[in-house]
Amino acid sequence: KSISLAELKALTGDLTVTIDGVAKNGAVDLTSATSFSDAATKLATALGVAVSFNTQIQSFIIESDTVGTGSSI
């Protein structure tokens, strides 16, 4: 995590993530996020995919429904 919660809360806009060759689009508004985990929940809702915040590595984790060499994000 290289930004503060206050900086994270300033993020709004459209986000596109390609997962397994399929573009997932969503309007992201993190202004009401109460934590990084809450921001992950908001990202998951916006994109329609599983997103979590890993406190050990201080990163958002976006998950694919598939595994192995055919899976990509």
Side-chain angles (χ1 to χ4, degrees):
K1 162 174 83 171
S2 61
I3 64 172
S4 68
L5 180 58
E7 292 169 316
L8 182 73
K9 290 173 71 166
L11 299 177
T12 62
D14 295 325
L15 177 65
T16 301
V17 178
T18 302
I19 301 174
D20 298 331
V22 177
K24 302 287 185 172
N25 305 299
V28 175
D29 181 354
L30 301 180
T31 57
S32 65
T34 58
S35 66
F36 281 80
S37 294
D38 186 42
T41 300
K42 292 179 185 317
L43 289 169
T45 299
L47 296 171
V49 298
V51 181
S52 60
F53 184 74
N54 184 307
T55 58
Q56 294 293 322
I57 59 174
Q58 299 292 295
S59 297
F60 289 99
I61 308 297
I62 301 172
E63 297 180 30
S64 167
D65 289 334
T66 62
V67 295
T69 59
S71 181
S72 65
I73 297 179

